[in-house]
mmCIF file of all heavy atoms in Angstrom:
data_model
loop_
_atom_site.group_PDB
_atom_site.id
_atom_site.type_symbol
_atom_site.label_atom_id
_atom_site.label_comp_id
_atom_site.label_asym_id
_atom_site.label_seq_id
_atom_site.Cartn_x
_atom_site.Cartn_y
_atom_site.Cartn_z
ATOM 1 N N GLU A 279 20.311 -10.255 9.930
ATOM 2 C CA GLU A 279 19.402 -9.143 9.646
ATOM 3 C C GLU A 279 19.514 -8.052 10.701
ATOM 4 O O GLU A 279 19.635 -8.339 11.888
ATOM 5 C CB GLU A 279 17.955 -9.651 9.619
ATOM 6 C CG GLU A 279 17.658 -10.533 8.427
ATOM 7 C CD GLU A 279 16.494 -11.465 8.728
ATOM 8 O OE1 GLU A 279 16.745 -12.560 9.262
ATOM 9 O OE2 GLU A 279 15.365 -11.092 8.450
ATOM 10 N N LYS A 280 19.456 -6.831 10.219
ATOM 11 C CA LYS A 280 19.454 -5.678 11.100
ATOM 12 C C LYS A 280 18.197 -4.866 10.776
ATOM 13 O O LYS A 280 17.852 -4.703 9.589
ATOM 14 C CB LYS A 280 20.709 -4.843 10.823
ATOM 15 C CG LYS A 280 21.063 -3.894 11.922
ATOM 16 C CD LYS A 280 22.434 -3.280 11.610
ATOM 17 C CE LYS A 280 22.521 -1.916 12.266
ATOM 18 N NZ LYS A 280 23.613 -1.117 11.745
ATOM 19 N N PHE A 281 17.535 -4.381 11.803
ATOM 20 C CA PHE A 281 16.265 -3.678 11.606
ATOM 21 C C PHE A 281 16.404 -2.249 12.134
ATOM 22 O O PHE A 281 16.530 -2.046 13.337
ATOM 23 C CB PHE A 281 15.144 -4.398 12.350
ATOM 24 C CG PHE A 281 14.985 -5.837 11.931
ATOM 25 C CD1 PHE A 281 15.728 -6.845 12.541
ATOM 26 C CD2 PHE A 281 14.111 -6.186 10.914
ATOM 27 C CE1 PHE A 281 15.587 -8.176 12.150
ATOM 28 C CE2 PHE A 281 13.970 -7.510 10.514
ATOM 29 C CZ PHE A 281 14.715 -8.508 11.133
ATOM 30 N N ILE A 282 16.398 -1.296 11.229
ATOM 31 C CA ILE A 282 16.434 0.115 11.643
ATOM 32 C C ILE A 282 15.010 0.643 11.491
ATOM 33 O O ILE A 282 14.497 0.746 10.368
ATOM 34 C CB ILE A 282 17.406 0.928 10.773
ATOM 35 C CG1 ILE A 282 18.823 0.348 10.915
ATOM 36 C CG2 ILE A 282 17.378 2.400 11.158
ATOM 37 C CD1 ILE A 282 19.824 0.926 9.923
ATOM 38 N N VAL A 283 14.376 0.926 12.605
ATOM 39 C CA VAL A 283 12.944 1.249 12.569
ATOM 40 C C VAL A 283 12.732 2.689 13.020
ATOM 41 O O VAL A 283 13.262 3.102 14.048
ATOM 42 C CB VAL A 283 12.140 0.297 13.481
ATOM 43 C CG1 VAL A 283 10.645 0.531 13.283
ATOM 44 C CG2 VAL A 283 12.507 -1.158 13.202
ATOM 45 N N LYS A 284 11.960 3.421 12.243
ATOM 46 C CA LYS A 284 11.630 4.796 12.619
ATOM 47 C C LYS A 284 10.132 4.913 12.870
ATOM 48 O O LYS A 284 9.321 4.537 12.020
ATOM 49 C CB LYS A 284 12.065 5.752 11.491
ATOM 50 C CG LYS A 284 11.877 7.222 11.854
ATOM 51 C CD LYS A 284 12.597 8.109 10.844
ATOM 52 C CE LYS A 284 12.284 9.584 11.003
ATOM 53 N NZ LYS A 284 12.394 10.138 12.327
ATOM 54 N N ASP A 285 9.804 5.421 14.043
ATOM 55 C CA ASP A 285 8.396 5.642 14.400
ATOM 56 C C ASP A 285 7.972 7.034 13.942
ATOM 57 O O ASP A 285 8.651 8.015 14.231
ATOM 58 C CB ASP A 285 8.220 5.506 15.921
ATOM 59 C CG ASP A 285 8.692 4.151 16.421
ATOM 60 O OD1 ASP A 285 8.348 3.138 15.793
ATOM 61 O OD2 ASP A 285 9.422 4.112 17.434
ATOM 62 N N LEU A 286 6.854 7.117 13.257
ATOM 63 C CA LEU A 286 6.425 8.378 12.636
ATOM 64 C C LEU A 286 5.315 9.048 13.439
ATOM 65 O O LEU A 286 4.447 8.365 14.015
ATOM 66 C CB LEU A 286 5.945 8.103 11.212
ATOM 67 C CG LEU A 286 6.984 7.395 10.316
ATOM 68 C CD1 LEU A 286 6.360 7.006 8.977
ATOM 69 C CD2 LEU A 286 8.206 8.279 10.101
ATOM 70 N N ALA A 287 5.334 10.371 13.431
ATOM 71 C CA ALA A 287 4.345 11.153 14.178
ATOM 72 C C ALA A 287 2.928 10.844 13.689
ATOM 73 O O ALA A 287 2.718 10.626 12.489
ATOM 74 C CB ALA A 287 4.638 12.642 14.017
ATOM 75 N N ILE A 288 1.984 10.828 14.609
ATOM 76 C CA ILE A 288 0.630 10.399 14.238
ATOM 77 C C ILE A 288 -0.450 11.464 14.457
ATOM 78 O O ILE A 288 -1.610 11.217 14.144
ATOM 79 C CB ILE A 288 0.236 9.120 15.018
ATOM 80 C CG1 ILE A 288 0.411 9.326 16.521
ATOM 81 C CG2 ILE A 288 1.061 7.947 14.526
ATOM 82 C CD1 ILE A 288 -0.121 8.180 17.361
ATOM 83 N N ASN A 289 -0.068 12.619 14.988
ATOM 84 C CA ASN A 289 -1.072 13.675 15.125
ATOM 85 C C ASN A 289 -1.320 14.326 13.769
ATOM 86 O O ASN A 289 -0.381 14.598 13.022
ATOM 87 C CB ASN A 289 -0.618 14.737 16.130
ATOM 88 C CG ASN A 289 -0.557 14.157 17.523
ATOM 89 O OD1 ASN A 289 -1.382 13.310 17.887
ATOM 90 N ND2 ASN A 289 0.434 14.567 18.298
ATOM 91 N N LEU A 290 -2.584 14.605 13.484
ATOM 92 C CA LEU A 290 -2.921 15.129 12.162
ATOM 93 C C LEU A 290 -2.251 16.467 11.862
ATOM 94 O O LEU A 290 -2.076 16.818 10.697
ATOM 95 C CB LEU A 290 -4.444 15.273 12.031
ATOM 96 C CG LEU A 290 -5.192 14.010 11.604
ATOM 97 C CD1 LEU A 290 -6.692 14.256 11.593
ATOM 98 C CD2 LEU A 290 -4.722 13.515 10.239
ATOM 99 N N ASP A 291 -1.878 17.214 12.907
ATOM 100 C CA ASP A 291 -1.214 18.498 12.648
ATOM 101 C C ASP A 291 0.303 18.365 12.577
ATOM 102 O O ASP A 291 1.014 19.357 12.503
ATOM 103 C CB ASP A 291 -1.627 19.546 13.685
ATOM 104 C CG ASP A 291 -1.340 19.098 15.107
ATOM 105 O OD1 ASP A 291 -0.783 17.983 15.281
ATOM 106 O OD2 ASP A 291 -1.651 19.856 16.045
ATOM 107 N N SER A 292 0.821 17.138 12.587
ATOM 108 C CA SER A 292 2.275 16.942 12.418
ATOM 109 C C SER A 292 2.649 17.304 10.986
ATOM 110 O O SER A 292 1.888 17.043 10.053
ATOM 111 C CB SER A 292 2.660 15.483 12.661
ATOM 112 O OG SER A 292 2.164 15.038 13.895
ATOM 113 N N PRO A 293 3.841 17.892 10.802
ATOM 114 C CA PRO A 293 4.228 18.265 9.437
ATOM 115 C C PRO A 293 4.535 17.055 8.568
ATOM 116 O O PRO A 293 4.928 16.000 9.078
ATOM 117 C CB PRO A 293 5.494 19.102 9.652
ATOM 118 C CG PRO A 293 6.019 18.671 10.976
ATOM 119 C CD PRO A 293 4.838 18.245 11.802
ATOM 120 N N GLN A 294 4.364 17.229 7.275
ATOM 121 C CA GLN A 294 4.799 16.206 6.315
ATOM 122 C C GLN A 294 6.327 16.123 6.370
ATOM 123 O O GLN A 294 6.994 17.144 6.440
ATOM 124 C CB GLN A 294 4.329 16.645 4.931
ATOM 125 C CG GLN A 294 4.601 15.641 3.845
ATOM 126 C CD GLN A 294 3.957 16.086 2.526
ATOM 127 O OE1 GLN A 294 2.816 16.530 2.499
ATOM 128 N NE2 GLN A 294 4.698 15.979 1.447
ATOM 129 N N THR A 295 6.880 14.911 6.377
ATOM 130 C CA THR A 295 8.337 14.793 6.473
ATOM 131 C C THR A 295 8.903 13.918 5.356
ATOM 132 O O THR A 295 8.205 13.078 4.784
ATOM 133 C CB THR A 295 8.778 14.177 7.823
ATOM 134 O OG1 THR A 295 8.333 12.818 7.884
ATOM 135 C CG2 THR A 295 8.219 14.957 8.992
ATOM 136 N N THR A 296 10.184 14.133 5.075
ATOM 137 C CA THR A 296 10.936 13.263 4.167
ATOM 138 C C THR A 296 11.653 12.231 5.021
ATOM 139 O O THR A 296 12.409 12.578 5.917
ATOM 140 C CB THR A 296 11.961 14.077 3.353
ATOM 141 O OG1 THR A 296 11.251 15.030 2.571
ATOM 142 C CG2 THR A 296 12.779 13.186 2.446
ATOM 143 N N ILE A 297 11.403 10.955 4.741
ATOM 144 C CA ILE A 297 12.006 9.909 5.575
ATOM 145 C C ILE A 297 13.132 9.172 4.847
ATOM 146 O O ILE A 297 13.906 8.465 5.471
ATOM 147 C CB ILE A 297 10.943 8.893 6.061
ATOM 148 C CG1 ILE A 297 10.134 8.326 4.885
ATOM 149 C CG2 ILE A 297 10.043 9.534 7.103
ATOM 150 C CD1 ILE A 297 9.153 7.233 5.290
ATOM 151 N N LEU A 298 13.216 9.363 3.530
ATOM 152 C CA LEU A 298 14.292 8.702 2.786
ATOM 153 C C LEU A 298 14.643 9.535 1.565
ATOM 154 O O LEU A 298 13.745 10.011 0.863
ATOM 155 C CB LEU A 298 13.840 7.302 2.338
ATOM 156 C CG LEU A 298 14.942 6.434 1.745
ATOM 157 C CD1 LEU A 298 15.798 5.819 2.850
ATOM 158 C CD2 LEU A 298 14.343 5.312 0.905
ATOM 159 N N ASP A 299 15.930 9.728 1.342
ATOM 160 C CA ASP A 299 16.417 10.413 0.143
ATOM 161 C C ASP A 299 17.685 9.678 -0.266
ATOM 162 O O ASP A 299 18.763 9.961 0.232
ATOM 163 C CB ASP A 299 16.676 11.890 0.454
ATOM 164 C CG ASP A 299 16.966 12.687 -0.810
ATOM 165 O OD1 ASP A 299 17.154 12.062 -1.880
ATOM 166 O OD2 ASP A 299 17.020 13.929 -0.731
ATOM 167 N N ASP A 300 17.525 8.690 -1.152
ATOM 168 C CA ASP A 300 18.600 7.742 -1.419
ATOM 169 C C ASP A 300 18.798 7.603 -2.930
ATOM 170 O O ASP A 300 18.017 6.941 -3.607
ATOM 171 C CB ASP A 300 18.218 6.385 -0.780
ATOM 172 C CG ASP A 300 19.235 5.302 -1.060
ATOM 173 O OD1 ASP A 300 20.317 5.606 -1.604
ATOM 174 O OD2 ASP A 300 18.945 4.134 -0.734
ATOM 175 N N HIS A 301 19.850 8.250 -3.450
ATOM 176 C CA HIS A 301 20.158 8.164 -4.880
ATOM 177 C C HIS A 301 18.932 8.440 -5.755
ATOM 178 O O HIS A 301 18.619 7.679 -6.668
ATOM 179 C CB HIS A 301 20.750 6.796 -5.226
ATOM 180 C CG HIS A 301 22.046 6.519 -4.534
ATOM 181 N ND1 HIS A 301 22.123 5.926 -3.294
ATOM 182 C CD2 HIS A 301 23.318 6.785 -4.902
ATOM 183 C CE1 HIS A 301 23.391 5.826 -2.938
ATOM 184 N NE2 HIS A 301 24.131 6.350 -3.888
ATOM 185 N N GLY A 302 18.236 9.500 -5.416
ATOM 186 C CA GLY A 302 17.092 9.909 -6.237
ATOM 187 C C GLY A 302 15.768 9.287 -5.836
ATOM 188 O O GLY A 302 14.725 9.655 -6.364
ATOM 189 N N LEU A 303 15.802 8.333 -4.926
ATOM 190 C CA LEU A 303 14.562 7.731 -4.419
ATOM 191 C C LEU A 303 14.140 8.513 -3.170
ATOM 192 O O LEU A 303 14.831 8.511 -2.158
ATOM 193 C CB LEU A 303 14.795 6.263 -4.068
ATOM 194 C CG LEU A 303 13.584 5.496 -3.509
ATOM 195 C CD1 LEU A 303 12.454 5.416 -4.530
ATOM 196 C CD2 LEU A 303 14.004 4.085 -3.072
ATOM 197 N N LEU A 304 12.992 9.194 -3.321
ATOM 198 C CA LEU A 304 12.526 10.081 -2.256
ATOM 199 C C LEU A 304 11.234 9.522 -1.656
ATOM 200 O O LEU A 304 10.299 9.203 -2.390
ATOM 201 C CB LEU A 304 12.264 11.468 -2.858
ATOM 202 C CG LEU A 304 11.949 12.603 -1.890
ATOM 203 C CD1 LEU A 304 13.202 13.024 -1.120
ATOM 204 C CD2 LEU A 304 11.396 13.806 -2.655
ATOM 205 N N ILE A 305 11.200 9.392 -0.346
ATOM 206 C CA ILE A 305 9.967 8.929 0.307
ATOM 207 C C ILE A 305 9.558 9.947 1.369
ATOM 208 O O ILE A 305 10.360 10.327 2.225
ATOM 209 C CB ILE A 305 10.134 7.533 0.947
ATOM 210 C CG1 ILE A 305 10.633 6.524 -0.089
ATOM 211 C CG2 ILE A 305 8.803 7.064 1.550
ATOM 212 C CD1 ILE A 305 10.821 5.112 0.442
ATOM 213 N N GLU A 306 8.301 10.387 1.258
ATOM 214 C CA GLU A 306 7.742 11.336 2.220
ATOM 215 C C GLU A 306 6.531 10.692 2.891
ATOM 216 O O GLU A 306 5.977 9.723 2.375
ATOM 217 C CB GLU A 306 7.329 12.624 1.495
ATOM 218 C CG GLU A 306 8.498 13.326 0.842
ATOM 219 C CD GLU A 306 8.051 14.286 -0.262
ATOM 220 O OE1 GLU A 306 7.879 13.817 -1.403
ATOM 221 O OE2 GLU A 306 7.876 15.475 0.036
ATOM 222 N N GLU A 307 6.152 11.252 4.016
ATOM 223 C CA GLU A 307 4.990 10.693 4.735
ATOM 224 C C GLU A 307 4.251 11.796 5.459
ATOM 225 O O GLU A 307 4.802 12.863 5.708
ATOM 226 C CB GLU A 307 5.444 9.610 5.726
ATOM 227 C CG GLU A 307 6.364 10.099 6.835
ATOM 228 C CD GLU A 307 5.672 10.803 7.982
ATOM 229 O OE1 GLU A 307 4.567 10.382 8.359
ATOM 230 O OE2 GLU A 307 6.237 11.779 8.513
ATOM 231 N N VAL A 308 3.004 11.466 5.807
ATOM 232 C CA VAL A 308 2.234 12.374 6.654
ATOM 233 C C VAL A 308 1.253 11.541 7.481
ATOM 234 O O VAL A 308 0.848 10.437 7.077
ATOM 235 C CB VAL A 308 1.489 13.431 5.793
ATOM 236 C CG1 VAL A 308 0.267 12.827 5.096
ATOM 237 C CG2 VAL A 308 1.085 14.637 6.636
ATOM 238 N N ALA A 309 0.907 12.058 8.650
ATOM 239 C CA ALA A 309 -0.058 11.359 9.503
ATOM 240 C C ALA A 309 -1.437 11.370 8.856
ATOM 241 O O ALA A 309 -1.829 12.340 8.199
ATOM 242 C CB ALA A 309 -0.126 12.044 10.868
#
Side-chain angles (χ1 to χ4, degrees):
E279 290 155 272
K280 199 172 153 195
F281 303 87
I282 300 170
V283 188
K284 185 168 171 49
D285 303 314
L286 304 173
I288 54 173
N289 293 325
L290 275 177
D291 57 2
S292 308
Q294 185 174 316
T295 66
T296 298
I297 53 175
L298 189 79
D299 189 350
D300 177 9
H301 298 89
L303 180 63
L304 188 72
I305 305 180
E306 298 160 274
E307 63 79 37
V308 75

